[in-house]
Amino acid sequence: MGAAMRRIHVGNALSAFGLGFTVPYLYVYVAQVRGLGPMTAGLVLAVFAVAALIVLPLAGRAIVRRGPLPVLLAALLTAAIGSLSLGLSASAATVLLSAAALGAGQAVMQPALATMIVDCSGPETRSRAFAMQFFLQNLGLGIGGLIGGHLVDPTKAGSFILLFAIQAAMFLLLVVVMSTVRMPHSPRIEGTPAQSAKGSWKQLLGNRAMVQLCVLGFVLFFACYGQFESGLSAYGVEAAGISTSTLGTALAANTLMIVVAQFAVLRFVERRKRSRVIASVGLIWAVAWAVAGYAGLGGASQEMATAAFVSTYALFGLGEAMLSPTLAPLVADLAPAGMAGQYNSAFALVKQLALAVGPAVGGPMAASLHAPYIVVFLLFSLGITVLALRLGRQLTAVQDQPSAAGSRVVAQGGAEQAPAPT
């Protein structure tokens, strides 16, 4: 890795650390520590999603016109202000405004960092770069949540102020670190008129492969990530009798699987067609849902139900490890020259929509309709396989399997990249 890529990966790890540092404790902070009640706390979590949905289309346009680094620095400053003000807020209005700033900043960081990875890598190194990004993100989330949990005390508002102040300081540290990044020259759309943003979205929607990838991405995130902290956990408690401590163990198993398997599966993934890798993830997740069905509906002993439920999260982690070097590089290779930021932001927008809809649909269903819940999401997983195979027919041979072309730049749809600095 060049110096620029190393700093980008530091940014990925620290931004994920900041997210895991505070977000798990927002509900307790707003509802109990500040005494604003569960409704306001729920609104704060909703504001995070709404802020992301609002800013991501604008972020794509800004990345295309200004480059990813200035957009990332603006997002870090916005998140730092939102984090610090959230720790000092005492009224519902200021809490919601602060959460909007923090959520908007954190939402923009990901497509900006992803576009920087694209600009600093070529087709032959991009899968490994995104695998490293996903590995560091999960590591940062896990460590951030662990340290944050030991710092907070629901009886002391000062512990939460310290938490948000540390997060703000981390974002400001990231501003300093990322300001030293020297990006290689990459195609930009300079001097474009204001109405060109509409044209760029029209161009994106005219790319059938990208549209199919967005549909596939929505189903992926809806059927997996959108169920982790809502539907699947509710199903585990209500149907399988899983304790809250076991839920924590299951999430740890998911993270451990990603950390252990990420680089073990990378060589396997790099040598296969991307569409078939995604299709195989759908089959793995279908097995995961079947195992979850056994845990809650199979009449197993509590020990077997617990083991099956933890295995479900581990199987999801295996699928995630296979997707990380596949999805993001494919988005980059479908983007025309200079449009990687627009395409990354569009895909991030699809992810946010799925994460907003997933809990709203899965949570109530999992709590009361146990068997239909498992059947529906098992079918969604099989649908991932079908959609992935259909997407493969829209991709060029090099887009579907860059390793088959050696070191050649993607022939169609991909922006030619300058080599990373030594």
Side-chain angles (χ1 to χ4, degrees):
M1 293 185 297
M5 186 66 84
R6 286 195 294 271
R7 287 175 172 82
I8 292 167
H9 283 319
V10 169
N12 274 304
L14 291 181
S15 63
F17 179 88
L19 186 64
F21 200 55
T22 58
V23 170
Y25 314 108
L26 272 176
Y27 186 91
V28 173
Y29 171 69
V30 176
Q32 299 179 11
V33 177
R34 291 302 182 187
L36 299 175
M39 182 173 293
T40 302
L43 286 175
V44 166
L45 298 177
V47 162
F48 266 81
V50 172
L53 295 177
I54 292 173
V55 300
L56 281 172
L58 304 176
R61 183 190 315 177
I63 292 171
V64 168
R65 293 172 63 86
R66 303 296 181 188
L69 184 54
V71 173
L72 174 63
L73 296 178
L76 287 169
L77 289 172
T78 302
I81 293 171
S83 179
L84 187 59
S85 60
L86 191 58
L88 299 174
S89 297
S91 67
T94 54
V95 163
L96 291 173
L97 288 173
S98 301
L102 178 58
Q106 287 180 329
V108 174
M109 288 178 203
Q110 295 312 308
L113 286 165
T115 305
M116 292 173 72
I117 290 176
V118 172
D119 289 348
C120 291
S121 64
E124 69 281 0
T125 60
R126 195 165 291 147
S127 291
R128 290 182 175 269
F130 277 104
M132 176 64 77
Q133 179 200 36
F134 189 69
F135 172 82
L136 291 174
Q137 282 179 341
N138 279 276
L139 201 61
L141 283 170
I143 295 174
L146 182 64
I147 295 177
H150 283 85
L151 287 179
V152 297
D153 183 349
T155 64
K156 297 179 181 178
S159 66
F160 285 88
I161 295 174
L162 175 64
L163 199 71
F164 288 109
I166 292 174
Q167 185 186 42
M170 189 173 306
F171 287 138
L172 294 176
L173 173 63
L174 259 178
V175 170
V176 176
V177 172
M178 301 310 291
S179 296
T180 65
V181 174
R182 296 294 176 261
M183 296 293 296
H185 175 72
S186 139
R188 297 273 174 256
I189 297 179
E190 302 288 354
T192 51
Q195 64 268 25
S196 66
K198 181 178 179 180
S200 64
W201 279 103
K202 183 177 180 181
Q203 182 185 14
L204 187 152
L205 293 173
N207 186 331
R208 289 189 62 185
M210 184 61 189
V211 171
Q212 287 193 22
L213 180 59
C214 286
V215 173
L216 173 59
F218 181 89
V219 178
L220 279 165
F221 295 121
F222 176 79
C224 176
Y225 300 91
Q227 303 307 313
F228 271 2
E229 297 177 2
S230 58
L232 193 54
S233 58
Y235 168 84
V237 171
E238 298 294 337
I242 300 300
S243 66
T244 54
S245 61
T246 301
L247 286 178
T249 303
L251 288 168
N254 175 264
T255 302
L256 181 63
M257 175 62 79
I258 292 169
V259 171
V260 171
Q262 182 62 85
F263 296 103
V265 303
L266 182 57
R267 182 170 295 182
F268 170 83
V269 169
E270 284 182 321
R271 295 177 178 177
R272 267 86 182 164
K273 291 184 177 181
R274 288 165 168 171
S275 58
R276 293 183 181 177
V277 171
I278 301 172
S280 64
V281 170
L283 296 177
I284 291 171
W285 285 357
V287 173
W289 284 110
V291 172
Y294 168 76
L297 307 171
S301 65
Q302 190 59 52
E303 292 77 12
M304 290 298 295
T306 298
F309 191 75
V310 172
S311 299
T312 298
Y313 274 80
L315 286 169
F316 275 121
L318 177 60
E320 292 175 76
M322 295 172 67
L323 287 176
S324 62
T326 306
L327 279 180
L330 181 54
V331 173
D333 290 346
L334 288 173
M339 294 294 293
Q342 186 89 45
Y343 277 56
N344 282 325
S345 295
F347 199 72
L349 179 63
V350 168
K351 179 179 179 178
Q352 287 295 329
L353 283 170
L355 294 181
V357 175
V361 173
M365 180 182 290
S368 56
L369 303 172
H370 303 149
Y373 176 72
I374 293 296
V375 171
V376 165
F377 283 95
L378 191 152
L379 292 176
F380 265 110
S381 298
L382 295 176
I384 290 170
T385 300
V386 175
L387 290 171
L389 294 176
R390 290 187 61 187
L391 173 64
R393 295 196 288 268
Q394 295 293 327
L395 303 175
T396 65
V398 182
Q399 287 171 341
D400 203 13
Q401 192 176 4
S403 61
S407 61
R408 286 184 299 165
V409 175
V410 174
Q412 280 188 321
E416 185 175 355
Q417 306 297 329
T422 57

